[in-house]
């Protein structure tokens, strides 16, 4: 490539940057709303259940609400992604942001455990829907030479949401209701969305010629070309989501297990820092890197390399620091592990929208990502829980890392989209 070749961003307009900023802010707060529960449940659940913190009911209800969140995200993702194709990107993005921010704020006033369950389901609906709308919008607005990078940047901004949630958790301490009140802040973004985002021209044209087919699940799953992409895209997302909740977030558990074995009394706070800041920094770098790498190699090849690296890094992170007896080595390896194991997630925003035509783009993207959530739920609720409760933690996580191999199989059934125009 010539050294005088134009930069990938040279043709990107101010409006296109604005779209990326607005969509990314929606995704940042999306990640914040999902993570705030994990940071507050240790204080919230004992209070609402009227039990002590070490009561088994706390753990039982904690896992139930994770399952409820996955179901709500799936339902909301499928519903709002279809509506985004029918009604437009702008109104549905605004609606999803209102869903997750308003119902998060209402959670601050919950007095019964069942109220939290209902509200977490509604929050998850907004969380599940916003991603598909944002990913489709970014893919449609950006030129094809910048599409992979823009999609990668969009998804990578979730790290800011995780850091924001971690900082909020530290700030509010045990005052969990205050944390949920902070969740109302994203509602302020809705006015900006409504005023600044225009419907993409490709969507307007599709609505004129294919109005009756916009957001049609029957066409998505009834047409062999789109059905194959939707099914294998969902299976690919299942691998990423199952390994995220079963393997990636276990970085904190691995650090805690190491420190407990070493007799460190400060294991709880150190392990949170190891995962929440050190590993997550590597994950953010990996998600930012996915776009440039896929622009060079293609999405499929980048996925393959990252899945293979994550497969190799999982047993390394589990066993090598313990074998050497070095916590410093663990801290060095955690961001490398996060780079590959979580970096693959940015690929979904770059890859899924490019698999489907305009009138099914949000629907197809939402189906892939949110059906992946649903398929991942049994892995987490049964397989991961059983393995981690009956095996040595390191053995269980190493075995769960085998799911990265499945991703390689599913990728063989999906097309390469590098340099291709979006399907119409």
């Amino acid at each position: 490539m010539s050294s005088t070749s134009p930069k990938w961003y040279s043709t990107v307009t101010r409006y296109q940057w604005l779209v990326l900023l607005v969509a990314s802010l929606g995704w940042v707060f999306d990640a914040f709303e999902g993570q705030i529960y994990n940071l507050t449940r240790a204080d919230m659940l004992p209070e609402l259940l009227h039990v002590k913190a070490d009561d088994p009911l706390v753990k039982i209800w904690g896992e139930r609400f994770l399952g409820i969140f996955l179901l709500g995200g799936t339902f909301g993702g499928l519903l709002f992604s279809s509506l985004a194709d029918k009604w437009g990107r702008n109104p549905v993005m605004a609606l999803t942001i209102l869903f997750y921010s308003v119902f998060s704020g209402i959670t601050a006033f919950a007095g019964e455990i069942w109220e939290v369950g209902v509200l977490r389901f509604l929050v998850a609906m907004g969380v599940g829907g916003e991603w598909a709308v944002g990913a489709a919008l970014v893919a449609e607005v950006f030129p094809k030479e910048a599409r992979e990078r823009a999609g990668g940047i969009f998804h990578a901004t979730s790290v800011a949401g995780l850091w924001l949630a971690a900082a909020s958790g530290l700030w509010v301490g045990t005052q969990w209701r205050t944390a949920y009140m902070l969740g109302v802040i994203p509602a302020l973004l809705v006015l900006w969305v409504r005023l600044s985002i225009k419907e993409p021209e490709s969507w307007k044209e599709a609505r004129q010629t294919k109005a009756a087919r916009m957001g049609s699940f029957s066409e998505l799953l009834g047409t062999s070309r789109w059905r194959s992409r939707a099914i294998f895209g969902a299976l690919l997302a299942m691998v990423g989501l199952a390994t995220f909740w079963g393997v990636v977030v276990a970085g904190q558990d691995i650090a805690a297990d190491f420190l407990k074995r070493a007799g460190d009394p400060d294991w709880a706070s150190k392990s949170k820092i190891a995962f929440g800041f050190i590993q997550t920094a590597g994950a953010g770098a990996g998600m930012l890197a996915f776009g440039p790498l896929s622009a060079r190699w293609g999405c499929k090849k980048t996925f393959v390399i990252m899945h293979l690296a994550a497969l190799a890094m999982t047993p390394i992170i589990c066993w090598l620091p313990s074998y050497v007896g070095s916590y410093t080595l663990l801290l060095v390896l955690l961001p490398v592990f996060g780079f590959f194991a979580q970096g693959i997630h940015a690929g979904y925003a770059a890859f899924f929208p490019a698999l489907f035509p305009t009138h099914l783009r949000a629907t197809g993207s939402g189906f892939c990502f949110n059906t992946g959530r649903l398929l991942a739920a049994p892995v987490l609720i049964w397989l991961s829980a059983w393995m981690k409760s009956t095996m040595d933690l390191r053995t269980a996580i190493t075995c769960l890392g085998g799911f990265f191999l499945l991703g390689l199989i599913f990728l063989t059934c999906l097309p390469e989209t590098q340099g291709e125009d979006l399907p119409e």
Side-chain angles (χ1 to χ4, degrees):
M1 182 178 294
S2 171
S3 59
T4 60
S5 297
K7 301 293 186 182
W8 68 271
Y9 50 80
S10 61
T11 59
V12 178
T13 66
R14 291 182 63 181
Y15 174 71
Q16 289 164 342
W17 286 122
L18 175 65
V19 168
L20 179 59
L21 175 62
V22 173
S24 296
L25 284 175
W27 182 228
V28 165
F29 289 118
D30 189 316
F32 172 86
E33 302 290 5
Q35 187 66 16
I36 202 67
Y37 166 74
N38 292 323
L39 295 166
T40 59
R41 64 177 181 172
D43 300 304
M44 176 177 67
L45 296 180
E47 179 181 328
L48 296 180
L49 290 167
H50 308 290
V51 298
K52 294 182 178 179
D54 58 354
D55 191 289
L57 278 175
V58 173
K59 186 173 183 179
I60 291 171
W61 278 98
E63 295 304 309
R64 284 176 179 172
F65 285 152
L66 285 177
I68 287 171
F69 196 80
L70 284 172
L71 292 174
T74 302
F75 180 73
L78 296 176
L79 172 65
F80 288 124
S81 61
S82 179
L83 292 178
D85 282 332
K86 295 177 184 293
W87 296 351
R89 313 318 190 201
N90 181 306
V92 178
M93 176 178 284
L95 184 58
T96 59
I97 294 171
L98 278 178
F99 248 73
Y100 68 58
S101 55
V102 170
F103 290 118
S104 178
I106 295 174
T107 306
F109 303 98
E112 301 290 340
I113 198 70
W114 67 266
E115 295 174 347
V116 176
V118 172
L119 290 167
R120 289 308 292 169
F121 185 90
L122 293 170
V123 169
M125 284 183 62
V127 167
E130 194 279 335
W131 181 89
V133 183
L137 182 63
V138 170
E140 289 170 338
V141 168
F142 272 74
K144 65 180 179 181
E145 62 270 16
R147 192 171 63 219
E148 290 92 348
R149 289 180 172 89
I153 292 170
F154 163 72
H155 198 100
T157 56
S158 63
V159 172
L162 300 179
W163 282 338
L164 186 62
S168 299
L170 291 172
W171 180 63
V172 303
T174 60
Q175 303 302 310
W176 63 269
R177 295 182 189 274
T178 303
Y180 286 99
M181 286 299 295
L182 294 174
V184 178
I185 294 174
L188 300 175
L189 181 62
V190 170
L191 180 61
W192 194 18
V193 170
R194 295 295 286 157
L195 292 175
S196 61
I197 300 300
K198 300 175 292 186
E199 295 300 335
E201 291 300 320
S202 58
W203 180 84
K204 293 179 182 178
E205 293 172 5
R207 192 181 189 188
Q208 290 178 349
T209 58
K210 303 174 182 178
R213 299 156 56 195
M214 300 291 282
S216 170
F217 282 105
S218 61
E219 181 172 353
L220 178 70
L221 300 177
T223 305
S224 60
R225 182 184 182 188
W226 311 134
R227 179 175 62 246
S228 174
R229 296 181 178 196
I231 290 173
F232 286 104
L235 290 171
L236 181 64
M238 180 273 291
V239 168
L241 291 162
T243 53
F244 176 77
W245 292 107
V247 179
V248 176
V249 300
Q252 179 172 330
D253 298 327
I254 293 169
D257 182 69
F258 183 99
L259 292 167
K260 285 180 184 178
R261 291 172 186 270
D264 192 322
D266 199 23
W267 61 267
S269 60
K270 286 184 177 179
S271 61
K272 288 180 181 179
I273 293 171
F275 169 73
F277 293 98
I278 297 175
Q279 180 179 315
T280 302
M287 288 190 284
L288 286 172
F290 195 100
L293 292 176
S294 62
R296 178 181 292 271
W297 298 332
C299 274
K300 280 186 65 173
K301 188 173 182 180
T302 305
F303 268 126
V304 168
I305 292 171
M306 284 201 160
H307 277 76
L308 285 171
L311 180 69
M313 283 301 302
T314 302
I316 290 173
I317 203 74
C318 287
W319 298 101
L320 185 59
S322 296
Y323 179 78
V324 176
S326 172
Y327 187 63
T328 300
L329 177 61
L330 178 63
L331 295 180
V332 170
L333 291 174
L334 279 174
V336 181
F337 170 65
F339 183 96
F340 295 110
Q342 194 172 341
I344 59 174
H345 286 235
Y348 306 143
F351 192 43
F352 292 160
L355 295 176
F356 303 101
T358 301
H359 67 290
L360 297 174
R361 183 157 297 124
T363 305
S365 300
F367 180 90
C368 290
F369 197 67
N370 292 290
T371 302
R373 291 181 195 261
L374 189 63
L375 295 174
V379 177
L380 303 171
I381 295 171
W382 292 310
L383 181 62
S384 178
W386 171 75
M387 293 177 71
K388 290 179 181 178
S389 63
T390 58
M391 300 179 180
D392 179 274
L393 178 68
R394 295 165 296 181
T395 302
I397 295 171
T398 299
C399 292
L400 289 169
F403 271 88
F404 288 114
L405 275 176
L406 285 178
L408 300 176
I409 296 173
F410 300 144
L411 280 165
T412 63
C413 302
L414 290 165
E416 179 56 77
T417 58
Q418 183 186 28
E420 297 290 331
D421 291 325
L422 293 175
E424 296 298 338

